Amino acid sequence: MPKTLLCVFLLVALAATSLFALDNVCSMKIEPPKILAGQEGKILVTFTIPEGYHQSYEQGINDFFFIEPQALKGIQYKSSTYPSGKKDENGIIAYYQSVTVTRAFKVASTLTPGKYQLKVNTGWQYCLETGSCLMPDEKLLAATLEVIPTTEKKAISNVTSIESSDTLTSMPVSENTAQVPNNQASAKPLPGGKINLLKFLFMGLIGGLILNVMPCVLPVLSIKAMSIVKQSHEDKKQIMEHSFIYVLGIMVSFLILAILVIILKRLGSEVGWGFQFQNPNFVIVLNAFIFLFALSLFDVFIISLPGMSYITTQSSRRGLIGSFMGGVFAVVLATPCTAPFLGAALGFAFSQPAYIILPMFLSIGVGLALPFIIIGFYPKSIKVFPKPGEWMNIFKEIMGFLLLATVVWLLDVLFNQVGGENLIRYIIFLLLIGFAAWLYGRFSRPEHPQHWQWIFFILSILIIIFSATILLKFKPYDLTTTTQNQTEEWQPFSAEKVDQVKSTGKPVFIDFTATWCMTCKVNERTVLYTPEIRKAFKEKKVSLFRADYTNGDKVIADWLKRYKRAGVPLYILYLPGNKEPIVLPEMLTKTIVLEALKKIE
């Protein structure tokens, strides 16, 4: 089994080495390179666009496509000039293959002759026709401008017609010195290269590790750890096998999830972290499995085929399938959750092409699996747990109640997707599932004759099938009537209304959330909806908007992408007069929100 894990690590390493093949190129030159004091010149930055991609530009909006010279005394810059290109019905221009952006400047007549280095921050974001985009990238370029004395005027009378071969091309400057242009002051620079990629891989690893203690994953992790504690006085080889099979379940699940995301992105779909929870059918099936899992923790039933008890007890490899499915289940429950570091890592991953999405997802998987990787390689580490005893049965039942709490949470999600009438039908379906599980658990035990075991096993399956056939035929529902009621304080999100409120000079706070997002719910109940924060919002006269992503929304998806998030939560605060907002972290505290509100004058 260690060999399997080694193969997974090699896959991650191999994928990571392929990430640097795409080299986004931009170059800069100055025309003319020699100029008299008091005359005008121009900076030309040429962006080379990879095959199959394009660069978009909307007039007046240059967040992800710009050239911004750094201030230099004696040089006055004019606005950037973008060339004409292919324009769509919305007035957005698309450039292909290459595009040159120009920035005119004037040299002050009082500027001392000599050589000056002009530094320019450049930014771009290349996209496929399907709509998926590479991560926004930035680079600091520099070129030398020579200001000559007026005594040399005759010698350079033809200076404005200097051939391009005589111009000075760009000199890339160390990324550590790159600065964000003034109109991007609140956005963090995102330099490309190996250091940047490794940073996000590491963030994915740490974020995946933190997922283990999130409410979504903790029950599954705890139950699996407890089962290994049971084996701690048995064969150490079994401990290693079960640990690595659990790890394999996690890694295979993340691999499948990454492939699914890649396929959907290529088909032009808007996908993000937890996107499957926007599908009510997925929630219906998942909640039924979680409900059954919870019942099994209360010993309502034990999964085993009739007549197979002897083979099961005699097999030295018993439960390996359960360990694998435990890893799969952990991933499924982890997807509606986010954690520190994970949001930024996922935001990076979902905006990238396939060869970057894959290793990013696998790095998160390695983080999620890390505790069991350690146990697998070092079985003695299991000694940190108490010795097996009655506490394990109590702990198991507590985890069962946590899973039932997850069932209730997903019922809330389903209510916002299918409506109250259909939800009642689904609750009746869960009741019948519970009855079928009890029937199976009560009469399929080894002490009963084998033919009775088979009869009640088949009867339990038939109850589930027929109840699903009848009860899961939901009536048509109107999404507008099932979304959560908006309070007086929180208005439904509208990009137009946000712009309207901002134009009046009022501060704006937007909560991008979803009913299936556990992190969102925790933040709302412990921070955003508390009397202290509500009072602070009111005192600062902040307009509050809730952007509900429960059932998916293209406008909200575009906003999430704009702020480099793969999914909810996202919290942004617009200060009066500021174009770019303050982006708050995924995990909120009252202190974080109050400190942000203090910046409102």
Side-chain angles (χ1 to χ4, degrees):
M1 196 51 58
K3 291 182 179 178
T4 304
L5 190 62
L6 180 61
C7 290
V8 173
F9 280 126
L10 289 175
L11 178 61
V12 175
L14 180 62
T17 57
S18 68
L19 301 184
F20 312 116
L22 184 60
D23 181 23
N24 295 325
V25 177
C26 63
S27 59
M28 164 187 165
K29 64 181 180 180
I30 298 175
E31 289 186 354
K34 295 182 179 181
I35 193 170
L36 292 168
Q39 288 191 338
E40 293 187 357
K42 55 186 177 180
I43 295 171
L44 298 93
V45 176
T46 299
F47 298 84
T48 302
I49 303 170
E51 186 69 28
Y53 288 83
H54 69 271
Q55 172 64 57
S56 297
Y57 172 66
E58 185 175 0
Q59 189 172 4
I61 301 176
N62 59 351
D63 290 351
F64 299 126
F65 184 41
F66 59 85
I67 63 171
E68 187 66 29
Q70 294 184 4
L72 184 64
K73 190 175 181 180
I75 305 289
Q76 184 179 2
Y77 297 102
K78 298 182 179 180
S79 300
S80 297
T81 301
Y82 293 82
S84 59
K86 184 179 178 182
K87 188 177 294 188
D88 65 13
E89 64 276 7
N90 297 317
I92 299 176
I93 300 173
Y95 301 109
Y96 298 85
Q97 296 182 340
S98 69
V99 57
T100 300
V101 181
T102 306
R103 191 74 177 252
F105 64 87
K106 183 175 182 179
V107 178
S109 57
T110 56
L111 188 61
T112 304
K115 292 184 178 181
Y116 296 87
Q117 190 178 55
L118 304 189
K119 295 181 180 180
V120 177
N121 292 294
T122 63
W124 65 91
Q125 183 180 31
Y126 300 145
C127 299
L128 292 166
E129 291 304 307
T130 59
S132 61
C133 300
L134 300 176
M135 200 64 177
D137 211 343
E138 295 184 6
K139 192 173 186 179
L140 181 63
L141 302 177
T144 301
L145 172 69
E146 185 178 354
V147 178
I148 59 175
T150 54
T151 53
E152 299 182 25
K153 183 175 181 179
K154 291 183 179 180
I156 59 160
S157 57
N158 296 322
V159 73
T160 55
S161 61
I162 291 181
E163 298 295 330
S164 59
S165 59
D166 294 328
T167 59
L168 294 176
T169 56
S170 64
M171 298 182 296
V173 178
S174 171
E175 290 168 348
N176 294 329
T177 65
Q179 299 179 14
V180 183
N182 292 334
N183 63 348
Q184 302 287 308
S186 63
K188 295 181 180 179
L190 193 61
K194 298 183 180 181
I195 294 177
N196 184 50
L197 174 65
L198 293 175
K199 178 185 76 173
F200 281 109
L201 286 172
F202 180 73
M203 290 172 69
L205 179 73
I206 298 300
L209 179 61
I210 297 175
L211 272 180
N212 283 291
V213 296
M214 299 299 288
C216 319
V217 184
L218 186 60
V220 178
L221 173 77
S222 303
I223 292 164
K224 186 59 202 168
M226 186 180 60
S227 96
I228 292 180
V229 169
K230 260 186 189 176
Q231 303 163 358
S232 61
H233 295 285
E234 301 176 11
D235 185 3
K236 301 299 181 184
K237 182 180 178 182
Q238 284 192 30
I239 298 176
M240 182 180 294
E241 284 184 345
H242 282 275
S243 297
F244 286 129
I245 285 291
Y246 178 85
V247 170
L248 187 63
I250 288 177
M251 299 309 295
V252 169
S253 300
F254 268 101
L255 181 63
I256 293 172
L257 188 59
I259 292 172
L260 181 61
V261 168
I262 291 168
I263 291 173
L264 290 175
K265 281 172 66 69
R266 286 190 178 275
L267 293 176
S269 300
E270 291 286 349
V271 291
W273 189 243
F275 70 95
Q276 67 272 31
F277 282 83
Q278 296 172 353
N279 186 326
N281 294 323
F282 176 84
V283 177
I284 287 168
V285 174
L286 174 64
N287 210 21
F289 275 110
I290 295 175
F291 182 61
L292 284 171
F293 191 12
L295 293 180
S296 72
L297 296 181
F298 295 111
D299 293 330
V300 173
F301 70 97
I302 299 173
I303 300 176
S304 63
L305 289 175
M308 297 295 290
S309 58
Y310 175 78
I311 296 175
T312 302
T313 55
Q314 294 300 312
S315 173
S316 63
R317 297 180 63 81
R318 66 186 182 275
L320 288 180
I321 293 178
S323 293
F324 181 86
M325 294 309 298
V328 173
F329 204 36
V331 174
V332 172
L333 289 180
T335 50
C337 277
T338 187
F341 299 104
L342 188 61
L346 286 168
F348 173 78
F350 274 90
S351 65
Q352 299 302 304
Y355 60 84
I356 293 184
I357 291 175
L358 183 61
M360 283 300 303
F361 269 65
L362 291 180
S363 71
I364 297 169
V366 171
L368 184 62
L370 193 57
F372 289 91
I373 294 175
I374 295 172
I375 292 174
F377 278 116
Y378 303 101
K380 291 183 179 179
S381 61
I382 204 73
K383 291 182 179 179
V384 300
F385 292 95
K387 292 182 179 180
E390 179 59 23
W391 71 269
M392 297 180 68
N393 292 325
I394 298 173
F395 183 77
K396 180 182 71 171
E397 290 167 2
I398 291 173
M399 291 300 105
F401 280 108
L402 280 180
L403 286 177
L404 288 178
T406 303
V407 170
V408 174
W409 161 55
L410 288 175
L411 288 176
D412 181 43
V413 174
L414 203 57
F415 168 74
N416 286 275
Q417 294 177 325
V418 301
E421 186 177 352
N422 290 326
L423 182 66
I424 295 298
R425 297 170 67 90
Y426 182 70
I427 291 174
I428 297 172
F429 171 66
L430 288 183
L431 177 63
L432 291 173
I433 282 183
F435 174 70
W438 172 83
L439 203 64
Y440 165 76
R442 181 67 183 81
F443 297 103
S444 294
R445 295 175 181 173
E447 62 263 28
H448 295 290
Q450 187 171 336
H451 67 279
W452 279 109
Q453 294 181 40
W454 277 108
I455 288 173
F456 281 100
F457 171 71
I458 294 172
L459 182 60
S460 300
I461 298 297
L462 290 176
I463 289 174
I464 294 175
I465 292 174
F466 282 116
S467 60
T469 302
I470 296 170
L471 293 170
L472 298 185
K473 287 183 177 179
F474 289 165
K475 296 180 180 180
Y477 55 94
D478 184 359
L479 286 176
T480 60
T481 63
T482 58
T483 52
Q484 289 184 327
N485 293 329
Q486 306 288 344
T487 65
E488 263 183 43
E489 296 171 327
W490 292 89
Q491 307 172 58
F493 172 76
S494 163
E496 293 77 15
K497 197 163 186 180
V498 168
D499 289 338
Q500 182 182 351
V501 174
K502 283 166 53 183
S503 67
T504 64
K506 293 182 179 179
V508 172
F509 184 89
I510 309 177
D511 170 20
F512 292 85
T513 183
T515 53
W516 41 259
C517 171
M518 181 66 77
T519 308
C520 304
K521 293 301 176 187
V522 172
N523 287 336
E524 288 165 2
R525 290 169 186 168
T526 61
V527 180
L528 294 181
Y529 297 167
T530 60
E532 183 181 355
I533 299 301
R534 291 172 64 186
K535 181 182 178 183
F537 279 137
K538 191 173 182 180
E539 288 177 348
K540 294 292 185 177
K541 299 181 180 179
V542 180
S543 295
L544 304 174
F545 290 88
R546 181 188 290 116
D548 191 346
Y549 199 46
T550 300
N551 299 304
D553 185 290
K554 190 178 186 310
V555 175
I556 294 176
D558 290 340
W559 276 64
L560 292 171
K561 187 186 298 182
R562 181 188 306 179
Y563 294 103
K564 305 179 182 70
R565 290 290 188 272
V568 292
L570 169 65
Y571 307 103
I572 57 178
L573 173 65
Y574 284 96
L575 302 180
N578 284 28
K579 179 182 177 183
E580 292 296 329
I582 297 172
V583 180
L584 278 62
E586 293 92 343
M587 298 295 293
L588 292 180
T589 64
K590 292 179 181 179
T591 302
I592 289 174
V593 177
L594 292 174
E595 287 298 319
L597 293 177
K598 284 181 181 178
K599 297 179 181 179
I600 300 175
E601 297 179 356

